[in-house]
Amino acid sequence: MIGDIPAVTVAAYGRSVGTVHPRSIQFNDPLPLESGVQLPAPWTLAYETYGQLNAQRSNAILVCHALSGDAHAAGTHSTNGKRPGWWDAFIGPGRAFDTDRYFVICSNVIGGCAGSTGPASLMPGTDQPYGSRFPVITIADMVAAQARLIDALGIDVLMAVAGGSMGGMQALQWTVSYPERVQGVLAIATTARSSAMTIALNTIGRQAIIRDQRWCGGDYYAARPPVDGLAIARMVGHISYLSDQALADKFDRRLQDHPAIQYSVEPEFAVESYLEYQGNSFVQRFDANSYLVITKAMDYFDLPGRYGSLRRALARSQAHFLALSFSSDWLYPTSELDALAAGLRSAGRPVRQIEFDSPKGHDAFLLEDGLMSPIIAEFLEDLAPLQARFV
Amino acid sequence: MIGDIPAVTVAAYGRSVGTVHPRSIQFNDPLPLESGVQLPAPWTLAYETYGQLNAQRSNAILVCHALSGDAHAAGTHSTNGKRPGWWDAFIGPGRAFDTDRYFVICSNVIGGCAGSTGPASLMPGTDQPYGSRFPVITIADMVAAQARLIDALGIDVLMAVAGGSMGGMQALQWTVSYPERVQGVLAIATTARSSAMTIALNTIGRQAIIRDQRWCGGDYYAARPPVDGLAIARMVGHISYLSDQALADKFDRRLQDHPAIQYSVEPEFAVESYLEYQGNSFVQRFDANSYLVITKAMDYFDLPGRYGSLRRALARSQAHFLALSFSSDWLYPTSELDALAAGLRSAGRPVRQIEFDSPKGHDAFLLEDGLMSPIIAEFLEDLAPLQARFV
């Protein structure tokens, strides 16, 4: 552990927000993109909110999702309680993001495929999906789109922006793009600058999709999509989200269906079945072109490169920072958060950095609510007295 | 570092063995396999030798190759000096495997595609390649085939068996299968038991091949082979052979062809071009079915599982052991060699274990000749006085 665990303990587990309603908002102005082109109007963001915006509009927290996430961060969409939001354990009454106190917002990124405008959406002025015509976007573009949503909700200043993995990139970009609008940043299992290793892992996923004959240059929506390439991409991703130890703990060398090896090239070990299942179920809910566009946005993410240096990028910020990492995360290891924290200190920004001891790899940011919740709750608590400066 | 670096220094760099001639040997008896089926006769092993077998036939060292290797371990096949053997820096006059003193042998594994019988070979009694009819084999089967070659060369006892990665598995299997025939084992960047992580990485490569529509159940030899699947498999492999640091040192975020990002889903970063090149060149020299069969043999490798415990497996051995690992190798980390060394100690076998500090990842076993050569030379030197017991 870097940093101290606070003596304060909170009711980390609290309650779920219960049944929630997916929402969406349409924007009728084009969105200028970093590439110089525009995302034409109309374009849409899917979003959800949890808790109530207070009268001062000062208790809003934007939660940003990772590569395969969506706007459904908490609660369930139906009363049967199936498919809780991806950060459900963190968001709710008495949870880390306490919906008795805070107004929590989450939206699907542009380029995504869960309600927001992406490559599978109909291109305005045509009766066809964008497909290959969807522009390649950046993390800053995702954040610019979110800013329109925050505007529409009547919120000037976000008390905090939080996210893990690509969500953390968005949180960092928010305070750089809109320094006067962000009071606190929670950057979890993330980086300010995508590494050669993360680019390498993403490019294999992209190559698997692009080399799938069904990809058809991106215009596959009238036919069978490139599910094999996308499944392989997901399997590569999954390996990078887990640690050696997590895989050993979960599967070791256990066989799936037979008491002994079958001398076959087909999957036999439980870890093989698991990956195959993850790949095959992912293609039911995710669009291959979105995978290409979103991973490319991650690969482009480079605050030092974009702004001259990390210090210069972060010197724009007026926020307080919480930087969290996990000991077994080899995708965004603690060294990435060390670099971020060093940049923040050189820019004169307050930062609290903690490495949690966890065997769960990168996925820990979704799973270690017990470890993270007291830290997150305390960080948010400490932001409250600072609001006068912003509001 | 675990263990001490010896004060002895050797001429680690020595000379190349120069031009060498590929050889092959045909066996006219079927080879019984662990699965219970037989590899039908005739079957072939491609091999090379370097140095001279002494009169007592006591100076033979078998070097075993890794997944994508072949019999060409040292020297060059033509006088233009192109494509030196995969362990050329280690084998030659004055090198770690000193061909002025030792007779070094390397053969392509069965199941391979570089001269030994594998899935692309004609199936005896037919005019078609084996394809889907090639049996799934094990590391012990590869070693049983090699033993036939060692018999044919008139060698009873191998002074040493050496290898990195899958080559190390073969070295370990040799002393377990033929305890009376192996005096020394050099197990480098390897394991006695494939882990869930290595199975996971291999299964992604296999899935990429199997899901390539051109694989055709393994019977693709009359048409275009599944080059896209095999290229993806190779890219996944390459990532696992390199460390985060090695990728950062070599590529960082450098762009390949343009001064700025192009907002394209195609490869732009140098690390992407590198992986694409590695994938595309691999398919020129490697057979997809061999990739399936050989990776499956690696995944099956489990000395403790096969023999009841690691101690029981290794108690059969009469060899001395050298166990080497590299600090940045996350595929076969030092913990795997720790487990091997513990098993050897519990079995009463002498073992020297060293972890080298290297940023080069798993590939270090091919690259760190400067670090490894003195250690290997000393280990071989120390074996010499022990020969009386064997010969």
Side-chain angles (χ1 to χ4, degrees), chain B residues 58-190:
Chain B
S58 65
N59 68 335
I61 297 174
L62 179 67
V63 158
C64 302
H65 69 72
L67 167 53
S68 64
D70 54 31
H72 183 40
T76 55
H77 285 170
S78 61
T79 49
N80 68 12
K82 283 192 182 158
R83 211 186 146 235
W86 53 269
W87 237 9
D88 188 61
F90 295 81
I91 301 168
R95 292 189 171 170
F97 297 95
D98 185 347
T99 52
D100 285 341
R101 303 175 61 188
Y102 309 124
F103 177 61
V104 179
I105 308 152
C106 183
S107 69
N108 185 219
V109 295
I110 55 162
C113 49
S116 293
T117 296
S121 306
L122 281 188
M123 186 172 180
T126 78
D127 59 354
Q128 298 289 324
Y130 276 100
S132 61
R133 295 169 298 179
F134 193 83
V136 171
I137 56 171
T138 66
I139 299 292
D141 294 331
M142 294 176 184
V143 164
Q146 288 159 358
R148 299 284 188 95
L149 169 64
I150 301 306
D151 291 342
L153 293 173
I155 298 164
D156 285 335
V157 174
L158 291 164
M159 181 185 149
V161 186
S165 199
M166 188 183 81
M169 296 179 187
Q170 293 164 66
L172 292 170
Q173 185 66 54
W174 252 97
T175 192
V176 172
S177 292
Y178 308 104
E180 72 291 350
R181 301 188 73 175
V182 181
Q183 191 185 339
V185 171
L186 295 87
I188 306 172
T190 191

Side-chain angles (χ1 to χ4, degrees), chain B residues 354-391:
Chain B
I354 296 177
E355 178 192 62
F356 294 105
D357 193 17
S358 165
K360 294 182 180 171
H362 183 59
D363 268 354
F365 87 89
L366 297 167
L367 302 172
E368 293 285 19
D369 49 292
L371 288 176
M372 296 161 67
S373 293
I375 307 290
I376 292 173
E378 187 191 57
F379 178 76
L380 297 175
E381 180 83 30
D382 291 349
L383 288 175
L386 304 167
Q387 291 187 345
R389 220 166 29 88
F390 273 87
V391 183

Side-chain angles (χ1 to χ4, degrees), chain A residues 33-232:
Chain A
L33 302 172
E34 275 204 294
S35 60
V37 305
Q38 292 192 324
L39 185 65
W43 55 276
T44 299
L45 285 187
Y47 71 102
E48 293 185 9
T49 69
Y50 321 105
Q52 300 298 323
L53 187 62
N54 63 16
Q56 303 89 333
R57 300 173 180 273
S58 64
N59 68 334
I61 298 174
L62 178 68
V63 158
C64 302
H65 69 73
L67 167 53
S68 64
D70 54 30
H72 183 40
T76 55
H77 286 168
S78 62
T79 50
N80 68 13
K82 283 191 182 156
R83 209 185 150 239
W86 55 269
W87 238 9
D88 187 60
F90 294 80
I91 301 168
R95 292 190 171 169
F97 298 95
D98 186 346
T99 52
D100 285 341
R101 303 175 60 189
Y102 309 124
F103 177 61
V104 180
I105 308 151
C106 183
S107 69
N108 184 219
V109 295
I110 55 162
C113 49
S116 293
T117 295
S121 305
L122 281 188
M123 187 172 179
T126 78
D127 58 355
Q128 299 289 323
Y130 277 99
S132 61
R133 295 170 296 180
F134 193 82
V136 171
I137 56 170
T138 65
I139 299 292
D141 294 332
M142 295 175 184
V143 164
Q146 289 159 359
R148 300 282 188 96
L149 169 63
I150 301 306
D151 291 342
L153 293 173
I155 297 164
D156 285 334
V157 175
L158 290 165
M159 180 185 148
V161 186
S165 199
M166 188 183 80
M169 296 178 187
Q170 293 164 67
L172 292 171
Q173 184 67 54
W174 253 97
T175 192
V176 172
S177 292
Y178 307 103
E180 72 291 351
R181 301 187 72 176
V182 181
Q183 191 186 341
V185 171
L186 295 88
I188 307 172
T190 193
T191 184
R193 180 175 188 270
S194 286
S195 68
M197 178 60 100
T198 58
I199 295 171
L201 288 160
N202 281 339
T203 205
I204 293 180
R206 286 194 296 270
Q207 284 290 308
I209 291 166
I210 288 172
R211 287 169 184 255
D212 187 323
Q213 289 170 40
R214 296 193 177 99
W215 182 60
C216 300
D219 297 309
Y220 51 77
Y221 295 102
R224 188 166 183 258
V227 292
D228 290 314
L230 182 58
I232 296 295

Side-chain angles (χ1 to χ4, degrees), chain A residues 193-194 203-204 206 211 213-214 228 239 252-253 263-264 266 268 272 280 296 299-300 302, chain B residues 193-194 203-204 206 211 213-214 228 252-253 263-264 266 268 272 280 296 299-300 302:
Chain A
R193 180 175 188 270
S194 286
T203 205
I204 293 180
R206 286 194 296 270
R211 287 169 184 255
Q213 289 170 40
R214 296 193 177 99
D228 290 314
I239 283 195
D252 196 28
R253 294 182 49 83
Y263 297 98
S264 156
E266 297 289 341
E268 294 177 81
E272 298 184 277
N280 290 341
K296 201 75 195 215
D299 291 355
Y300 284 158
D302 176 13
Chain B
R193 181 176 189 270
S194 286
T203 205
I204 293 179
R206 286 195 295 271
R211 288 169 184 254
Q213 289 170 40
R214 296 194 177 99
D228 289 314
D252 194 30
R253 294 182 50 83
Y263 298 99
S264 157
E266 298 290 340
E268 294 176 82
E272 298 184 277
N280 290 342
K296 201 74 195 215
D299 291 356
Y300 284 160
D302 177 14

Side-chain angles (χ1 to χ4, degrees), chain A residues 240-253:
Chain A
S240 73
Y241 308 149
L242 296 167
S243 68
D244 193 8
Q245 190 59 52
L247 284 167
D249 291 347
K250 201 163 179 171
F251 304 108
D252 196 28
R253 294 182 49 83

